[in-house]
Amino acid sequence: MDLQHLRPSQEQGVPLYLQLYRRYREAIAAGKLRPGDRVLSVRNLASELTLARGTVEMAYQMLANEGYFVTRGAAGTIISPRLESLAADHAKLSEPTAPASPPLHAISSEVLPFQLGLPALDAFPRKTWSRLAGRTMRSLQTTAMTYPDPAGYEPLRRAIATYLGISRGIACSPEQVFVTTGYLGALELVCHALLKTGDLGWYEDPGYILARQFLERTGMRLEPVPVDEEGLNVATGQRRAPHARFAVVTPTHQSPLGVALSLPRRLELLEWANHRQAWIIEDDYDSEFRYHGRPLPALKSLDRDGRVLYTGTFSKVLFPGLRLAYLVVPVSQIGQFRDAVNHRSGSGSILPQAMVADFMEQGHFGRHLRKMRALYATRRGYLVDALKQEMGEHLYIQPQAGGIHVLAHLRTEQDDRALAKAAQTSGLAVHALSDWQMCNSSQGGLLMGFANFATAEEARASVQRLKTVLAKC
Ligand SMILES: Cc1ncc(COP(=O)(O)O)c(C=O)c1O
C-alpha cells in the first residue's frame, strides 16, 4: 500500500495520532490493507512519515485495543485475521465510530478502558443465563404472554422484595415494588406521581451527573448540597432550602466520592423529611459491592414515617443492557403509584423480568454477587496498584470501601476537565470530578471504572497510556 495514504494532513484540531488511526481504519475498510497483512513497525512508519514515534505508538495501541491489529511478537504486527468476515461489510468499517472523545456524559456502547458504570462483562454467567432463557420461554404461562402488569412482572417484584428484606434490611411487600426502565425510569415515575414542574430538591454536590441532568430537564429545580466525609451535609441543606420538596441521596456509597452517610446524618435527614413532608429518593445503585467491613443497611430500613422512595438497579449486579431497575414506595403511596403506572408505558418486556426472577429465585443471583465481590476486590487492586506505581506523585487515590469506580484526586492545580478531555480523545473513558460538581471547587479529580480490567497488565497498560496523555497536557 502507498504509505502516502496514511500520511496525516493538517486537519484542524484533530491530533496526528487520531488521524493516523483513522487512515488505517479507512485503508482496511477500502481493502487497501487485508486481514493478515503485515504492518510497518512503529520506528519505520514514524521515519517514513516523519512523525514522532509516540504519535505512531498511540495510534497503533488504539488499533490493537480495538482488535484491528494483532501483535505477533518477533514476527511483528499484522492486520487481524478476524477482520476477514467483516471485510465485506464495508459500511461497518468505513464509518469511523468516534473512538475518542465520547461526548462527556454519553454512555458509550463501547467498552473503553476506565469506562464508568459497567460491571465486569467478561464474568457474566452466560451459560446459566442461556439455560434459563430456554427454560423461561418453555415454561411461560399463557397468562404471562398477555398484556403485562405495568408495575412489573409479579414474580420479579416478589423476588426483589425478598432480596431487599434479607440483604438491605428493608421490610416491604411486592405491592410496594415497581419495576422500571433503569434508574431514570424510577426517577421519572417519582416525578410523575409525587412532584410537579418547578419543585425544589436537594441534590448532592458532587453528585451523579446523569440523574441531575435528567431532573433539570424534567423541570425540577435543584439546590446543591455539599458532601463531606459524613455524606450529605443535612444542616447546610436545611439552611439553604428548608422547604425543598425532595432530596436525592446515595447514602451507602456516595456517587462519586464513595463516603457513607453517617447514622446521625441519616436520622437528621429523615427527621427533616418527616417534619417538612418532603420525599427522600434513595439511590442504592451499587451497595452490593463492598470490600471492607459489613454492608450498611439501606436508609430505607430506618424509615418509620414512610418518606423514603428507595431505588435499586440491575445494571451493576447483572448488566446495564437489561435496562431493569426498581422503586420501592411507602405503603401510603401504593395507590398513587399504581395510578401513575396505569397511565404510562409500563415496565417493558416481561421476558428479561421473568429471567431475572428465575435467576434470583434459583440462587444464581446470590452466587453471582459473591463471585463478583471477590473479583472486583482483585480488579480494584490492579488499578489502584498501577495508579500508585505509575502516577503516585500526580494522583492521590481516595480510599473507598466499595463500588466499581476509583476517584483519584489531582495533587496539582491542573484542570481536571482538560485532562479528562485529553484522555477521552485518546479513547480513555475517564471523567472529570468537576463535571459532577454543581458549584466550583478547587479540588480536581479523575473518575475511573476498573471492573473490566481483566489482568494487572491490562490495568497497567491503560494507566501508562493515561500517564502519557496527561504528561502532554
Ligand atoms: C449513581 C448512580 N445511580 C444509578 C445508576 C444506575 O442507573 P441505571 O439503572 O439507569 O443503569 C448509576 C449507573 O451508573 C449510577 O452511577
Side-chain angles (χ1 to χ4, degrees), residues 118-124 288-291 315-318 368-383 402-404 450-453:
L118 283 187
L121 300 176
D122 60 329
F124 186 72
E288 290 83 359
F289 304 125
R290 205 177 156 83
Y291 316 116
S315 289
K316 313 289 173 240
V317 287
L318 294 178
H368 179 59
L369 288 184
R370 277 195 294 282
K371 188 176 133 200
M372 298 310 276
R373 234 173 255 136
L375 183 77
Y376 289 148
T378 306
R379 292 190 175 183
R380 184 175 197 282
Y382 294 156
L383 178 59
I404 52 173
F450 58 75
N452 285 286
F453 286 129

Side-chain angles (χ1 to χ4, degrees), residues 110-130:
E110 290 176 81
V111 184
L112 298 171
F114 305 112
Q115 189 85 44
L116 281 180
L118 283 187
L121 300 176
D122 60 329
F124 186 72
R126 281 175 186 260
K127 267 200 196 143
T128 310
W129 193 251
S130 358

Side-chain angles (χ1 to χ4, degrees), residues 117 182-184 208 250 255 283 285 313 315-316 320 323-325 436:
Y183 171 53
L184 297 189
Y208 181 40
T250 46
S255 173
D283 174 10
Y285 65 107
T313 178
S315 289
K316 313 289 173 240
R323 295 290 68 224
L324 278 184
W436 292 49

Side-chain angles (χ1 to χ4, degrees), residues 21-344:
Y21 156 89
R22 286 178 179 162
R23 298 279 185 282
Y24 260 114
R25 287 183 57 139
E26 284 156 11
I28 296 168
K32 289 177 188 149
L33 282 170
R34 306 277 318 149
D37 281 358
R38 265 192 79 159
V39 176
L40 228 52
S41 71
V42 169
R43 177 149 22 102
N44 287 349
L45 188 67
S47 120
E48 286 287 342
L49 299 181
T50 51
L51 293 171
R53 271 171 69 172
T55 303
V56 180
E57 237 159 44
M58 192 108 84
Y60 274 32
Q61 202 156 41
M62 285 169 71
L63 288 156
N65 286 347
E66 291 186 20
Y68 288 93
F69 284 5
V70 179
T71 315
R72 291 269 158 93
T77 300
I78 61 168
I79 307 291
S80 169
R82 285 182 49 222
L83 293 175
E84 193 74 68
S85 55
L86 296 176
D89 190 351
H90 178 258
K92 192 160 183 176
L93 286 168
S94 63
E95 182 58 40
T97 52
S101 62
L104 186 62
H105 311 138
I107 299 172
S108 173
S109 53
E110 290 176 81
V111 184
L112 298 171
F114 305 112
Q115 189 85 44
L116 281 180
L118 283 187
L121 300 176
D122 60 329
F124 186 72
R126 281 175 186 260
K127 267 200 196 143
T128 310
W129 193 251
S130 358
R131 213 168 355 97
L132 277 182
R135 201 180 304 155
T136 306
M137 277 313 290
R138 281 194 299 277
S139 60
L140 207 59
Q141 311 246 330
T142 322
T143 46
M145 294 165 79
T146 62
Y147 283 96
D149 182 344
Y153 185 56
E154 204 276 335
L156 177 61
R157 297 168 74 203
R158 216 175 332 116
I160 292 170
T162 307
Y163 164 71
L164 293 178
I166 296 167
S167 298
R168 309 297 298 125
I170 298 173
C172 66
S173 68
E175 289 70 41
Q176 289 173 261
V177 180
F178 289 79
V179 177
T180 63
T181 333
Y183 171 53
L184 297 189
L187 281 183
E188 192 176 27
L189 186 54
V190 173
C191 291
H192 187 76
L194 298 179
L195 304 175
K196 57 182 191 317
T197 309
D199 273 354
L200 180 65
W202 296 359
Y203 203 80
E204 291 172 334
D205 188 16
Y208 181 40
I209 189 165
L210 288 183
R212 174 179 21 125
Q213 290 171 338
F214 172 83
L215 289 167
E216 284 170 347
R217 279 167 180 253
T218 310
M220 301 299 144
R221 289 180 301 129
L222 299 181
E223 178 66 43
V225 178
V227 175
D228 57 29
E229 59 287 350
E230 280 192 70
L232 181 93
N233 192 322
V234 180
T236 307
Q238 282 179 301
R239 208 173 48 252
R240 288 190 187 161
H243 301 291
R245 290 276 301 126
F246 65 98
V248 185
V249 279
T250 46
T252 306
H253 184 238
Q254 202 276 332
S255 173
L257 299 183
V259 293
L261 190 64
S262 69
L263 185 60
R265 294 261 177 101
R266 285 174 187 234
L267 298 175
E268 233 181 310
L269 182 62
L270 290 165
E271 155 103 38
W272 164 77
N274 189 31
H275 177 59
R276 299 284 179 181
Q277 292 296 285
W279 298 109
I280 300 170
I281 301 169
E282 174 175 18
D283 174 10
D284 203 26
Y285 65 107
D286 72 356
S287 57
E288 290 83 359
F289 304 125
R290 205 177 156 83
Y291 316 116
H292 312 292
R294 280 164 16 101
L296 301 171
L299 173 67
K300 176 76 187 160
S301 67
L302 299 172
D303 179 28
R304 304 279 164 264
D305 303 299
R307 304 313 308 173
V308 178
L309 300 143
Y310 174 90
T311 69
T313 178
F314 287 105
S315 289
K316 313 289 173 240
V317 287
L318 294 178
F319 59 95
L322 277 173
R323 295 290 68 224
L324 278 184
Y326 46 92
L327 174 69
V328 178
V329 308
V331 176
S332 61
Q333 301 303 314
I334 295 176
Q336 186 82 357
F337 276 85
R338 171 49 74 182
D339 189 51
V341 292
N342 283 348
H343 298 97
R344 297 183 68 73

